[in-house]
Amino acid sequence: LPERKDLLEPWLPEQGLAMIHAPRGVGKTFFALSCAYAIGSGGEFLKFNAPEARSVLYLDGEMPAASIQQRLRQLIPPDATDPQVNIITPDVQPRDQGPINLSNLEYQEALEPCIEETSLIIVDNISTLVRGGKENEAESWLPIQAWALKQRSSGRSVLFIHHSGKDGRQRGTSRREDVLDTVISLRQPGTYDAEQGAVFQVHFEKARG
């Protein structure tokens, strides 16, 4: 079997499944968009390096398209080459279909044409893009786990963005972590002040390999 290469060294490989979680307002989306830009352009973010440019599909379930565009403009230099990043947001979906629901097989199938040439799918976030069942019930996660494993077997990676619970762990059933290679928690230091802007520590809670 061929050795898996990294999309973003050292924690996101080809055919990798990962999760980033944090409380509200810490910077999950900025972190995820920065990863998308680094991978889509073959660049780097923090101490993480993308050896080559790969195609990224960014599924957003929360923000208006204009807000995502504004954040990307803050991340991408004006003279930079356009990264290989495609974005789907709720307000650009057909009104008769409504926002994406990855727990629904019909929505999974509707996404197939969008992901054929994609190396990485970023799901931002689980709370808005996975609807149906109870968050704390392990059985409710099975359709999403099956979808993620299908993407992995097709050669793609999936990065889930999620909220942290009151205990600091990812919110809901721990079964989500069973098949993941990497789980990252973003946490603000105890001395954090809002005037500092985005300040967080990167904690690897699971780092397979």
Side-chain angles (χ1 to χ4, degrees):
L1 296 174
E3 183 178 352
R4 289 195 297 173
K5 299 179 180 179
D6 280 323
L7 300 183
L8 194 62
E9 296 174 341
W11 59 269
L12 185 58
E14 295 174 331
Q15 297 181 280
L17 303 177
M19 175 190 289
I20 295 169
H21 70 88
R24 290 181 179 86
V26 172
K28 295 187 296 295
T29 295
F30 267 119
F31 190 100
L33 286 172
S34 297
C35 290
Y37 174 58
I39 295 168
S41 62
E44 59 184 24
F45 169 54
L46 301 181
K47 296 181 179 181
F48 313 135
N49 176 64
E52 60 181 288
R54 302 290 193 97
S55 176
V56 179
L57 176 63
Y58 197 101
L59 300 179
D60 178 81
E62 186 172 307
M63 300 180 64
S67 297
I68 291 289
Q69 184 182 57
Q70 181 182 22
R71 292 193 176 197
L72 281 171
R73 283 175 174 165
Q74 295 175 336
L75 298 174
I76 302 175
D79 57 346
T81 303
D82 288 342
Q84 300 179 45
V85 180
N86 295 311
I87 300 172
I88 297 178
T89 62
D91 53 350
V92 298
Q93 300 305 301
R95 293 187 178 181
D96 60 334
Q97 292 183 359
I100 292 170
N101 181 9
L102 289 176
S103 64
N104 186 305
L105 184 59
E106 292 184 7
Y107 282 89
Q108 293 180 11
E109 293 175 347
L111 276 174
E112 288 297 324
C114 302
I115 63 178
E116 288 181 354
E117 304 300 325
T118 296
S119 297
L120 170 65
I121 304 169
I122 298 180
V123 178
D124 185 8
N125 54 64
I126 289 175
S127 297
T128 55
L129 293 172
V130 176
R131 300 184 303 281
K134 296 182 179 179
E135 193 171 50
N136 291 323
E137 290 182 354
E139 298 300 315
S140 299
W141 183 248
L142 290 180
I144 317 304
Q145 179 174 288
W147 175 79
L149 291 173
K150 178 182 177 182
Q151 303 312 316
R152 187 176 72 181
S153 67
S154 299
R156 304 182 189 97
S157 299
V158 181
L159 174 58
F160 292 102
I161 311 301
H162 193 31
H163 293 88
S164 299
K166 294 180 180 179
D167 61 356
R169 300 178 181 272
Q170 61 93 12
R171 195 172 69 192
T173 174
S174 61
R175 188 166 194 167
R176 294 194 185 103
E177 302 181 25
D178 291 350
V179 299
L180 301 180
D181 300 294
T182 306
V183 177
I184 292 176
S185 170
L186 305 180
R187 308 174 193 171
Q188 289 175 335
T191 57
Y192 174 73
D193 187 286
E195 293 183 357
Q196 296 175 298
V199 178
F200 49 77
Q201 300 167 340
V202 180
H203 292 256
F204 285 82
E205 296 180 338
K206 183 177 181 180
R208 181 181 291 168

